[in-house]
Amino acid sequence: FVFFTYGNGFHPDHVCPGGLRGMRKTDKLLDVELGPHKLPEWTAPLEKYKDRMSVLHGVNGSHCGPSHGTPFGYLAGLKKGKSPKGQTIDHALGSLLPPTPLSMLGIGLSQLGTMRGTPISYSSSAAGASRPVPMYSDPRMAYQSIFGSVAGEKSRDAFLSETSWFSELIERSDRTRKRLNGAEAAKFDTYVDGLRQVRKQRHSLLAMKETLAKFKPDYTEAFDNPEHSGQWWEAGIDVGVAALQAGVTNVLTVDAGLSGPDGMPLDTFGIDWPEKNRAIKSSHDIGHWSQVGGSTGSSWVKVRHYSLEMLERIIQPLAATPEPNGKGTMLDNTLIVYTSDSGEVQH
């Protein structure tokens, strides 16, 4: 399963064929064949996948409280908040599928400065109430944590050293635990449990080094010296897809915008409005700018197409990876959900 979130709203005209827009006004369930209809320009890159695609309209998410994003809300169908109210569907699915080192992998994408400043983010996924799942925003950290054991001598030594460090912390934890009571003890137990999970994951990764070496993504110059936000988006997605191919996880969640107001960074593809240049840095900012066509203005075409390029960066490698049992490709056995965290209304 792959969940790809494009933050801050998804105008229905971006994905609904022109001849079908009236059907959204009905209060009855309608099921219409998509094949004879052409997708609008905003989502035109998906036309080539139309024979294996469904467009779902009319799912009400207002109870999640969408306003500048719905952190921990939309994947659980629960009220948004700084702390999750319950388990999200991506983590639930990962728990039900055959065991892998990671029940799910989260990749969080944002402005380059935000990703550098917060390499691990907590935005969309949760194992349960008050149990957020970490998302990698720094692709270097994701790469090292998953493929470090097979990424050259220096990376391998660092991976083994970090794994040993986790073990030392766990062994020393008993002495600290004896001095704690009540809520502090419960917090500490959660912390130590997290360390145990990480250590277990790393031991599992060490046991599958041959497979990791086969699917390890190229560590390009963009990992260490990105020129714009999109290069880290691409690097993070490549690590996520490689983790799926290697069997490190069966569930990948890509949160583009960190379930908040950051949105799509515009430094990536050269949108330039001189009179607004200082104010407009992301697709969220476009939503505050009065333009011809509003949410269906031409500026959104570039923004939407770029997010779909990132979606294709997931689709194409999966389509090129045969299943070991000879039954099709990984894409044939993958459900991809491309959605917004806020329904059709940006704010």
Side-chain angles (χ1 to χ4, degrees):
F1 292 89
V2 175
F3 294 88
F4 189 110
T5 309
Y6 177 95
N8 274 276
F10 193 165
H11 196 286
D13 285 348
H14 287 197
V15 74
C16 188
L20 299 177
R21 290 175 185 173
M23 67 181 284
R24 298 203 316 268
K25 298 178 181 179
T26 183
D27 58 357
K28 299 177 181 179
L29 176 63
L30 295 179
D31 188 358
V32 177
E33 181 65 35
L34 187 60
H37 303 275
K38 187 176 181 180
L39 292 175
E41 60 178 331
W42 295 275
T43 46
L46 294 178
E47 187 76 22
K48 63 178 80 71
Y49 305 109
K50 201 168 58 173
D51 63 332
R52 56 201 305 169
M53 186 174 93
S54 295
V55 178
L56 185 61
H57 286 286
V59 178
N60 191 337
S62 59
H63 58 294
C64 300
S67 175
H68 287 97
T70 54
F72 304 116
Y74 71 103
L75 287 178
L78 299 171
K79 188 74 174 177
K80 73 170 187 176
K82 293 182 179 180
S83 179
K85 306 292 192 296
Q87 187 183 35
T88 51
I89 190 171
D90 48 356
H91 187 274
L93 289 168
S95 302
L96 291 170
L97 293 170
T100 53
L102 300 179
S103 59
M104 63 157 291
L105 173 62
I107 302 294
L109 306 176
S110 183
Q111 313 291 309
L112 185 57
T114 301
M115 292 187 286
R116 279 176 166 153
T118 312
I120 296 291
S121 55
Y122 297 87
S123 58
S124 64
S125 305
S130 302
R131 295 174 60 198
V133 172
M135 308 193 84
Y136 290 103
S137 288
D138 187 330
R140 298 170 298 182
M141 187 174 289
Y143 185 95
Q144 176 63 23
S145 297
I146 298 171
F147 295 98
S149 61
V150 294
E153 187 174 339
K154 186 176 180 181
S155 291
R156 184 187 67 245
D157 291 347
F159 185 91
L160 294 173
S161 176
E162 289 167 2
T163 304
S164 176
W165 178 70
F166 283 118
S167 295
E168 290 178 17
L169 284 176
I170 293 167
E171 290 167 6
R172 294 176 184 174
S173 65
D174 285 344
R175 285 177 287 178
T176 304
R177 177 65 172 78
K178 291 175 183 177
R179 302 198 298 267
L180 301 174
N181 293 298
E184 289 301 318
K187 275 186 189 177
F188 188 78
D189 289 342
T190 300
Y191 170 73
V192 175
D193 181 59
L195 293 176
R196 290 196 179 98
Q197 289 182 38
V198 172
R199 182 176 64 177
K200 181 180 178 181
Q201 291 165 0
R202 284 174 168 252
H203 286 162
S204 299
L205 291 170
L206 286 169
M208 56 186 298
K209 289 195 292 185
E210 185 176 331
T211 307
L212 290 175
K214 178 181 178 181
F215 291 105
K216 173 176 64 69
D218 293 334
Y219 193 92
T220 63
E221 177 69 15
F223 276 83
D224 290 326
N225 299 297
E227 295 179 1
H228 53 75
S229 304
Q231 288 185 316
W232 263 21
W233 283 44
E234 294 164 10
I237 286 173
D238 289 349
V239 173
V241 172
L244 287 174
Q245 291 172 306
V248 172
T249 186
N250 288 317
V251 181
L252 172 66
T253 296
V254 178
D255 187 352
L258 299 182
S259 296
D262 273 351
M264 184 75 64
L266 304 185
D267 65 328
T268 298
F269 43 100
I271 291 182
D272 181 33
W273 300 287
E275 75 280 7
K276 293 278 187 178
N277 204 30
R278 292 183 180 179
I280 295 183
K281 297 180 180 179
S282 75
S283 60
H284 164 259
D285 298 325
I286 302 176
H288 284 282
W289 180 41
S290 179
Q291 58 176 312
V292 177
S295 294
T296 60
S298 60
S299 303
W300 283 109
V301 176
K302 287 184 180 181
V303 174
R304 179 70 62 193
H305 281 199
Y306 184 77
S307 74
L308 296 178
E309 287 175 20
M310 297 301 100
L311 186 64
E312 286 194 288
R313 206 173 179 94
I314 299 172
I315 292 172
Q316 292 170 355
L318 296 181
T321 305
E323 292 285 20
N325 58 13
K327 295 183 178 179
T329 68
M330 284 191 71
L331 184 62
D332 296 326
N333 296 286
T334 300
L335 174 65
I336 300 175
V337 179
Y338 176 86
T339 184
S340 170
D341 66 333
S342 300
E344 70 177 61
V345 182
Q346 184 191 10
H347 293 103

